[in-house]
Amino acid sequence: MPAALNRLTADDDLFLKLHDLYGTALVNQLAWRFDETLDPAVLERLHAHLANGFLARRVMTTAVPFARPWWVPATTAEPLAVQQRPVPETGVLDWLFEQSKVEFDPVTGRVWRLSVAPTTSGGTLLSLVTSHVGADGGAVLFALGDALRRLDAGETPDIATSSGRLVGSNPVGGLSRAHLADAIGQLRAAARGIRAAVKAREVREPDRNPRPAEPRLPLPDRHSPADLVVEVDAAEWNSVAAAHDGTDNGLMVGVAVGLLGRSGRIEGGTQVRVDIPHSLRGIDDPRGNATTGLPIAVPCCKGERTNLRQVRIAIKRAARAYADPATTPALQHLQPVQMMLPKPVLGFFSRTAKAPECLCTNLGETGQGVATIAGVRARSVLMRPVVCTGDTELFRRVEVGLNLSWSSDGDTVTLAITGGDPDRFPTRAALRDHVADEFEAWGLAPRFWT
């Protein structure tokens, strides 16, 4: 019997099936703005470490019914993408979004891309875009942190001694027995999940609000979601949060709910469902995706600031509820069943599936650990999910809402905001107007990336 394979998690599997249905529709992006020029040789070595590290994985499948796919190290990767043409300071956001236009392939292992471009001011832009099939935000930071440590130490790129060792292997012999054992284990897990779901059938999650049908703007057939990046002094952000009996996380949620109200997506007096990703990643965790979501209900008081004390209480209550199987919603217990669904069945259910109306991701002070590359410290570090360009009608049908991603380097808060509703946030300028008004209401002084 071979060693245990690194099987895909339920989230890995769901993202893989969605990738098969929609292609590369959502990616994660880690980006840096440097005032200096980075040595091309350093970036080539960083790329080599990443190509032998935690992100370098590809999906293997078996014909044994119900046995889960598994990860093995990838033997190929997207090459380092080097742009020679300098990017103007007013074109940074456009360049960063352009890096999301890549077709990943989890089967071959092409699931990440490192890109670099000079700026007209003599600096450097660097982007690491990753497929959500193989890596959540925590996995990206873990992989990059390991690659940077090995780069600084002058070590040779190597799977066996780097974070790549955790990806798994494809041992010879005994695989049929291993897959049969996994299939039996999955059937048992599904049975346990169904029993738990029945017991939790009265547990209710906050409802999401249906997307208003009007207004319906005359838009092109293809749509790129409006995106912004805003910086605020960390001391200022924390001071405002504390003044309103909230936390840094709660203020992000408060801003998000306010933006939905200002845009007309949510009516005043309505409860907004806000989904907050919560990392479950442990030390040397081999999982690509190790995150759960905590849904909370937040009142939208149009024309008034969100009550941050209520947000803080709601987040704590949701965390306690999800820690207890008895108060975990039934759908969460059914993940083993979800993994057994063939793609055609999932495609049928996806016709009525909806995107989050409000997703708020707090990445903490992650910027400090990855801000320096070979001794050169970035002026700014950004981490965010990117909703890629797609059919306008698809955005309307799945009712894409608002995504916010918060991170800090200890001195500066960087907030990435994506307005996916094409009729409420048709352009970056429209989104910026709402953000400027909402920040002014909180007494925050935003600095917008351009």
Side-chain angles (χ1 to χ4, degrees):
M1 180 77 69
L5 302 179
N6 184 15
R7 304 279 182 177
L8 271 66
T9 66
D11 286 337
D12 295 343
D13 179 77
L14 179 60
F15 282 122
L16 177 62
K17 288 172 178 171
L18 291 175
H19 180 275
D20 290 341
L21 289 170
Y22 300 115
T24 305
L26 176 70
V27 297
N28 286 321
Q29 183 176 50
L30 187 58
W32 300 257
R33 296 179 71 173
F34 292 90
D35 291 327
E36 301 86 358
T37 299
L38 295 183
D39 183 350
V42 167
L43 294 179
E44 288 288 358
R45 291 199 298 274
L46 175 60
H47 182 276
H49 282 296
L50 291 171
N52 288 272
F54 196 70
L55 297 180
R57 54 178 65 203
R58 62 189 180 96
V59 174
M60 298 288 289
T61 59
T62 174
V64 177
F66 307 131
R68 294 169 295 169
W70 70 103
W71 295 110
V72 298
T75 56
T76 186
E78 291 282 340
L80 176 65
V82 180
Q83 177 178 309
Q84 302 295 341
R85 184 178 69 258
V87 178
E89 287 297 311
T90 56
V92 170
L93 281 182
D94 289 337
W95 185 84
L96 291 177
F97 186 79
E98 280 294 314
Q99 306 320 302
S100 71
K101 297 178 179 179
V102 55
E103 284 302 320
F104 287 133
D105 184 0
V107 174
T108 64
R110 302 177 82 91
V111 291
W112 60 276
R113 182 173 70 175
L114 188 67
S115 310
V116 62
T119 65
T120 53
S121 60
T124 305
L125 295 177
L126 187 64
S127 165
L128 175 61
V129 171
T130 55
S131 167
H132 218 318
V133 177
D136 59 15
V140 173
L141 290 169
F142 173 66
L144 181 66
D146 178 66
L148 290 175
R149 285 190 295 272
R150 294 179 65 84
L151 178 69
D152 290 342
E155 297 181 14
T156 301
D158 177 50
I159 293 175
T161 59
S162 71
S163 59
R165 73 188 187 282
L166 301 172
V167 171
S169 61
N170 193 20
V172 177
L175 279 178
S176 296
R177 291 176 58 196
H179 296 325
L180 180 59
D182 187 68
I184 294 172
Q186 283 299 98
L187 288 168
R188 290 171 176 166
R192 290 193 300 270
I194 292 171
R195 289 195 296 270
V198 170
K199 291 181 181 178
R201 62 187 179 277
E202 300 300 327
V203 178
R204 292 289 181 266
E205 289 187 323
D207 293 327
R208 71 187 310 284
N209 295 286
R211 178 182 181 274
E214 298 295 335
R216 183 183 175 91
L217 303 180
L219 299 172
D221 292 338
R222 300 280 289 175
H223 179 67
S224 296
D227 64 329
L228 282 176
V229 179
V230 189
E231 290 184 349
V232 181
D233 290 340
E236 178 182 324
W237 183 275
N238 294 333
S239 175
V240 169
H244 293 276
D245 198 17
T247 63
D248 53 14
N249 193 42
L251 181 53
M252 171 179 57
V253 173
V255 167
V257 172
L259 291 174
L260 287 171
R262 291 179 186 279
S263 72
R265 172 66 183 259
I266 301 294
E267 293 295 326
T270 303
Q271 296 277 337
V272 180
R273 173 172 169 146
V274 181
D275 288 279
I276 302 175
H278 176 65
S279 178
L280 302 175
R281 187 167 300 280
I283 298 174
D284 283 350
D285 196 324
R287 293 177 290 179
N289 286 277
T291 305
T292 190
L294 302 179
I296 63 173
V298 181
C300 177
C301 303
K302 198 168 183 179
E304 300 178 20
R305 291 185 294 262
T306 305
N307 188 315
L308 299 192
R309 184 174 184 274
Q310 289 182 357
V311 172
R312 178 162 51 84
I313 293 172
I315 293 174
K316 287 184 178 179
R317 185 181 298 122
R320 286 196 299 268
Y322 269 63
D324 183 353
T327 52
T328 299
L331 192 61
Q332 294 291 319
H333 296 293
L334 295 177
Q335 287 187 332
V337 179
Q338 165 215 301
M339 294 191 72
M340 294 180 179
L341 295 178
K343 282 181 285 188
V345 175
L346 188 65
F348 173 79
F349 284 120
S350 72
R351 296 174 191 170
T352 57
K354 303 298 181 184
E357 66 179 346
C358 187
L359 180 68
C360 289
T361 305
N362 189 328
L363 296 159
E365 295 191 357
T366 55
Q368 297 185 78
V370 297
T372 302
I373 298 179
V376 182
R377 186 171 180 83
R379 181 215 310 179
S380 303
V381 180
L382 164 70
M383 191 166 190
R384 64 175 182 172
V386 179
V387 183
C388 303
T389 301
D391 293 337
T392 305
E393 286 306 315
L394 177 63
F395 282 101
R396 288 169 171 153
R397 177 170 65 79
V398 302
E399 302 185 2
V400 180
L402 188 70
N403 293 350
L404 275 74
S405 181
W406 188 102
S407 62
S408 174
D409 62 2
D411 297 319
T412 303
V413 166
T414 303
L415 190 65
I417 306 173
T418 300
D421 187 325
D423 298 301
R424 272 81 196 172
F425 309 105
T427 64
R428 185 179 292 156
L431 176 60
R432 178 167 174 157
D433 287 344
H434 292 314
V435 172
D437 290 343
E438 182 66 17
F439 272 51
E440 182 179 5
W442 287 99
L444 293 167
R447 300 187 295 274
F448 290 95
W449 289 23
T450 57

